[in-house]
Amino acid sequence: MRGLRRFLLLAVLVLALPVRADYAYALWGDVKEPADFTHFPYANPDAPKGGTLRLVSNSRASTFDKYNPFTIRGSAPAYLSALMFDTLLTGSLDETATGYGLLAEDVSVAPDGLSATFRLRREARFHDGKPVTAEDVKYTYETLIGPYVSPGYRTMLYEVDGCDVLDARTVRFRFKAPNRELPLTVGGLPIFSRDWGAGKTFDQVVMDTPIGSGPYRIGPVNFGKDITYVLDADYWARDLPVRRGTANFGRIEVKIYKDNTARLEALKAGEFDLMRFFSAGDWARRVNGKRFDTGELVKAEFKNKLPTGFQSYVLNTRRPQLQDRRVREALGLAFDYEWMNRQLFYGAYQRVHGLFGNTRCETHGEPTAAELALLDPWRAELPKAAFGPMVEPPVTESPMVLREHLRQAQKLLKEAGWEVQDGVLKNAQGEPFVLEYMDSSEGGVRTIFSWQHNLAKLGIALNFRSVDFALYQQRLQKFDFDITTIAFQGTNNPGQEFADLFGSKAADQEDSGNFAGVKNPAVDAMIQAMVSAKSLAGLLPACHALDRIMAAEYYLIPQWSASTHRMVYDGWRLAKPDVVPPYSPGEMWAVDTWWSKKP
């Protein structure tokens, strides 16, 4: 899944529907950098190469058991896909929708929108020294739509009709219909060599060292625990404008800690140089000590303009007790976010309000005429709330307001056929209302305690289940849970990836991203409208309509987001550029553009 997440990130950063070949293209507007640009403004082209960056793994997995980030089973090392595989096009961290050629020196989309053609750079090389060819691109595409990889790739590439090799350095992707996003999608494919695992089916390519073309190779490994990536001294793209001032560290060491407390103490002890914080409690109360006092460790918050994403409690509608929309709404009414943010998070977060926060697609107020034109054909199937003001999460300003929310929830549950009997909520068959919240961290129980308490007042038992991360992944892949938390990443340019997240076809695909089990033809129609939009004016109403449906159906209970990256870094060992890019992806900004003071 990590390889898929990188694929999705790259796919939304790159190009759309140009009518001629060029060095870069913008999705909706002008390209920021001119054809003769020498480097991105947030990168230091004179940064020294060498030295070591010591990281703690950003993965929740407590080990790794393979080097293949694309197959379904197992866990690959953190950062492997980002460091080892180049793509046809690469995005900029200070633009939201422009792609610049990386493996491809140029790209063109046919005037009818039915194909995109990429011309590979003559100098592009894999780690084994062989050139990156059109045959490798085709092999990558056909592998990623095959049976052995995460099905999210097949969903993403469903409307690609095929891939043709025109000559050794030219490849053309054919599309089933004009689609502004498909050039973005294929442009973001992580390209690997045909020789990787040659002679094996792809599911058997497990421990074979990946043959990519990215800036780093695998170095020393303490298998399952620590991994070191070593800068490729012969990296083919090091002098390209899109790469100058990046990949500055000679070695990147990544350590895995199973225990959060041990990881924090290791940071304080100087065992690694950079750590990103997601716990508001740790950030507020435990990021301190001698090395902070001397200035060796620096505690910093870096503002960004990234989409907020839509981290949420996911309600698995495959479960009988969660199939009624009124029940799902009732569960959300019992969730007191304001108390949680005040008591547990030190006021550090903002509530998520929809799928597209902090982007042009963010939805507010009443639907426009264009949105209603999309929604009206589904009026009989959708709740009335989808046609009114944007549904917002309930705000609990005081205990009195909470009591009113619980009364509303009780009424909704009764309408759905649930009655309290001897303090227990039961259905007509006398079955109690019991749910399980699944998490891979024991600390998760702290964040749902108040929710458990409020649900108990309604007669609902919400049990907490902590499982090992490997089992957690397996249960997610098989949709074997009632409620869990998913941190969905946001995007400025939504499209086909939403078919994997909420499309009906994905609901029955094991290991898809449709954890909520959404099977709603109106949702499918809005996703298709997003994908087929030919302009920003056509995209926005489709995004807003989808947002309204999802909010009114209560498939997700919105959680929280932050507008900064909270990071601690070693100020004596690390240096960073003066410019903080607005769309910096957390610690990967440091991995890509910082450098060592001790090369």
Side-chain angles (χ1 to χ4, degrees):
M1 290 296 290
R2 185 162 301 279
L4 175 59
R5 284 195 292 272
R6 179 176 182 255
F7 170 39
L8 298 182
L9 175 63
L10 287 168
V12 300
L13 286 175
V14 291
L15 144 126
L17 293 184
V19 296
R20 64 185 180 87
D22 211 337
Y23 72 103
Y25 294 90
L27 181 57
W28 303 118
D30 295 332
V31 176
K32 180 180 178 183
E33 303 299 334
D36 59 351
F37 83 107
T38 58
H39 64 279
F40 288 129
Y42 53 81
N44 175 10
D46 300 318
K49 304 289 185 182
T52 299
L53 173 64
R54 301 172 301 164
L55 292 175
V56 61
S57 173
N58 67 342
S59 169
R60 295 174 68 186
S62 57
T63 185
F64 59 88
D65 53 15
K66 64 175 184 176
Y67 291 143
N68 188 339
F70 307 109
T71 49
I72 297 174
R73 306 302 178 197
S75 298
Y79 307 110
L80 184 146
S81 184
L83 297 176
M84 296 192 68
F85 298 102
D86 276 339
T87 51
L88 297 170
L89 304 156
T90 187
S92 163
L93 299 183
D94 58 1
E95 296 171 85
T96 62
T98 300
Y100 297 84
L102 182 51
L103 287 171
E105 65 184 11
D106 61 49
V107 58
S108 59
V109 174
D112 61 6
L114 289 174
S115 67
T117 301
F118 297 85
R119 180 73 171 169
L120 297 172
R121 295 184 189 273
R122 191 179 303 276
E123 65 270 32
R125 290 291 185 274
F126 287 115
H127 295 146
D128 60 3
K130 293 183 179 180
V132 180
T133 69
E135 290 286 357
D136 294 302
V137 177
K138 181 178 181 179
Y139 171 78
T140 297
Y141 161 73
E142 292 180 345
T143 300
L144 293 178
I145 62 172
Y148 304 118
V149 302
S150 172
Y153 285 104
R154 292 194 294 278
T155 301
M156 289 289 295
L157 297 166
Y158 177 76
E159 294 189 23
V160 178
D161 199 34
C163 181
D164 304 319
V165 172
L166 303 186
D167 61 42
R169 291 175 42 229
T170 309
V171 62
R172 178 179 62 202
F173 288 90
R174 290 175 282 105
F175 308 142
K176 295 176 182 177
N179 181 323
R180 66 168 182 87
E181 186 175 4
L182 289 177
L184 308 179
T185 303
V186 295
L189 287 173
I191 304 302
F192 43 83
S193 170
R194 294 170 284 166
D195 295 334
W196 182 26
K200 301 179 181 180
T201 57
F202 202 59
D203 62 330
Q204 298 302 310
V205 181
V206 179
M207 297 307 304
D208 305 67
T209 300
I211 305 176
S213 60
Y216 287 89
R217 303 169 179 251
I218 293 176
V221 175
N222 183 4
F223 194 77
K225 296 181 179 179
D226 308 324
I227 186 169
T228 297
Y229 301 99
V230 179
L231 182 65
D232 183 358
D234 297 319
Y235 178 47
W236 71 273
R238 61 184 177 273
D239 295 323
L240 289 182
V242 295
R243 286 301 200 206
R244 289 194 67 203
T246 71
N248 299 316
F249 295 102
R251 294 163 60 94
I252 298 174
E253 298 176 358
V254 184
K255 299 181 180 181
I256 294 176
Y257 288 79
K258 296 183 179 181
D259 180 79
N260 286 338
T261 301
R263 179 168 55 182
L264 179 56
E265 292 306 313
L267 172 70
K268 293 181 179 181
E271 291 188 18
F272 43 89
D273 308 319
L274 183 91
M275 179 171 163
R276 186 176 174 189
F277 282 79
F278 296 95
S279 167
D282 283 346
W283 188 254
R285 298 190 292 117
R286 289 179 281 277
V287 181
N288 51 51
K290 180 180 177 180
R291 282 187 164 85
F292 291 92
D293 296 338
T294 63
E296 179 180 359
L297 291 180
V298 180
K299 179 180 178 181
E301 295 192 49
F302 299 99
K303 291 185 178 296
N304 64 71
K305 296 181 180 179
L306 290 171
T308 60
F310 45 105
Q311 179 171 308
S312 308
Y313 291 113
V314 177
L315 307 181
N316 186 359
T317 61
R318 301 172 184 86
R319 300 297 205 231
Q321 65 268 49
L322 294 174
Q323 290 175 356
D324 193 305
R325 180 185 58 81
R326 294 167 294 188
V327 169
R328 302 194 296 268
E329 182 180 358
L331 295 176
L333 284 165
F335 178 61
D336 188 349
Y337 166 76
E338 282 68 32
W339 181 90
M340 181 181 293
N341 195 36
R342 187 171 59 250
Q343 298 296 326
L344 302 181
F345 301 152
Y346 303 87
Y349 296 124
Q350 299 81 45
R351 188 78 190 266
V352 170
H353 286 266
L355 305 180
F356 305 114
N358 203 30
T359 73
R360 292 170 295 192
C361 290
E362 189 169 357
T363 309
H364 300 283
E366 297 280 351
T368 64
E371 293 168 39
L372 288 174
L374 292 168
L375 291 167
D376 274 336
W378 307 98
R379 192 173 285 271
E381 289 85 3
L382 293 175
K384 291 183 179 179
F387 298 87
M390 177 62 180
V391 173
E392 299 284 352
V395 177
T396 308
E397 298 167 333
S398 68
M400 184 177 297
V401 173
L402 176 60
R403 286 194 291 271
E404 177 57 32
H405 287 170
L406 293 178
R407 281 193 289 268
Q408 294 176 32
Q410 192 174 46
K411 180 181 178 182
L412 288 166
L413 292 166
K414 186 174 183 178
E415 291 175 359
W418 294 89
E419 295 271 6
V420 176
Q421 301 175 31
D422 300 321
V424 178
L425 193 67
K426 296 181 179 180
N427 61 15
Q429 291 74 43
E431 299 168 327
F433 199 121
V434 180
L435 293 169
E436 180 183 273
Y437 173 75
M438 183 183 71
D439 204 328
S440 63
S441 168
E442 292 184 4
V445 69
R446 181 169 171 264
T447 63
I448 68 163
F449 173 76
S450 66
W451 195 21
Q452 286 177 307
H453 181 70
N454 293 337
L455 290 173
K457 294 178 181 179
L458 298 172
I460 297 173
L462 177 61
N463 300 322
F464 178 79
R465 176 73 182 278
S466 176
V467 297
D468 175 81
F469 186 75
L471 178 58
Y472 176 81
Q473 285 184 306
Q474 291 174 17
R475 289 185 61 176
L476 281 183
Q477 288 169 349
K478 297 179 181 297
F479 310 120
D480 182 18
F481 67 93
D482 297 340
I483 303 175
T484 193
T485 292
I486 300 292
F488 297 97
Q489 292 190 1
T491 171
N492 283 284
N493 303 294
Q496 187 65 26
E497 70 272 21
F498 279 79
D500 180 62
L501 296 177
F502 305 123
S504 296
K505 290 181 180 178
D508 296 323
Q509 280 189 327
E510 184 177 322
D511 198 37
S512 81
N514 192 345
F515 300 110
V518 178
K519 281 189 174 182
N520 189 322
V523 168
D524 295 336
M526 298 312 117
I527 294 172
Q528 182 56 40
M530 283 166 39
V531 170
S532 60
K534 293 180 173 59
S535 65
L536 184 60
L539 173 70
L540 294 180
C543 294
H544 297 327
L546 174 64
D547 211 2
R548 293 181 189 280
I549 295 172
M550 292 296 297
E553 292 283 8
Y554 299 97
Y555 298 116
L556 309 172
I557 296 177
Q559 291 186 352
W560 45 85
S561 67
S563 59
T564 62
H565 298 308
R566 296 184 296 237
M567 293 196 291
V568 169
Y569 65 93
D570 190 323
W572 293 359
R573 292 173 57 92
L574 302 181
K576 56 184 176 61
D578 295 331
V579 177
V580 180
Y583 305 105
S584 150
E587 71 272 21
M588 282 308 299
W589 166 49
V591 172
D592 287 342
T593 66
W594 294 21
W595 62 92
S596 174
K597 291 181 177 179
K598 302 176 180 180

